[in-house]
Amino acid sequence: MTGTTRSSSDLEPRRRKALFRSWHRGTREMDLVLGRFADAEIGSLSDHDLTIYEHLMEAPDRDLFSWLTGTQETPANYDTPVFQRIKSFYALNQMDAS
């Protein structure tokens, strides 16, 4: 897999940056989780949801992955509707990969 399958040419600079950051996390696992989510959803996130998504991307990869997999409890300040969308997206893609 080479990364994004979505063109960023139709995105405003803020969304382009978020898409890029989603695919360049530091660990391949989180690149795939957030990158795939961003490919599918970055254009449809409201500005408010994009702000929340940008905040989520500030969390360390190992923490985000632990929250997504349920091995650690998600802190309340990260357990947002946007995080739940990512978690559902991740779970759906895990089932598709099986």
Side-chain angles (χ1 to χ4, degrees), residues 15-39 42 53 57:
R15 291 175 194 276
R16 279 186 197 151
K17 182 178 178 181
L19 178 64
F20 180 85
R21 287 182 61 213
S22 297
W23 278 106
H24 296 87
R25 296 288 307 165
T27 64
R28 189 64 179 155
E29 292 83 1
M30 287 310 300
D31 288 354
L32 293 172
V33 172
L34 292 184
R36 288 175 179 165
F37 176 81
D39 278 356
I42 200 73
Y53 183 68
M57 286 195 297

Side-chain angles (χ1 to χ4, degrees), residues 2 21 26 28-29 34 39 48 51 61 70 73 76-77 94:
T2 59
R21 287 182 61 213
R28 189 64 179 155
E29 292 83 1
L34 292 184
D39 278 356
H48 176 72
T51 298
D61 285 353
E73 186 174 330
N77 62 321
Q94 286 300 103

Side-chain angles (χ1 to χ4, degrees), residues 53-83:
Y53 183 68
E54 290 167 331
H55 175 68
L56 283 167
M57 286 195 297
E58 296 298 322
D61 285 353
R62 72 179 176 282
D63 293 343
L64 266 175
F65 195 74
S66 294
W67 304 334
L68 287 169
T69 59
T71 57
Q72 286 186 350
E73 186 174 330
T74 307
N77 62 321
Y78 287 103
D79 196 7
T80 64
V82 173
F83 178 78

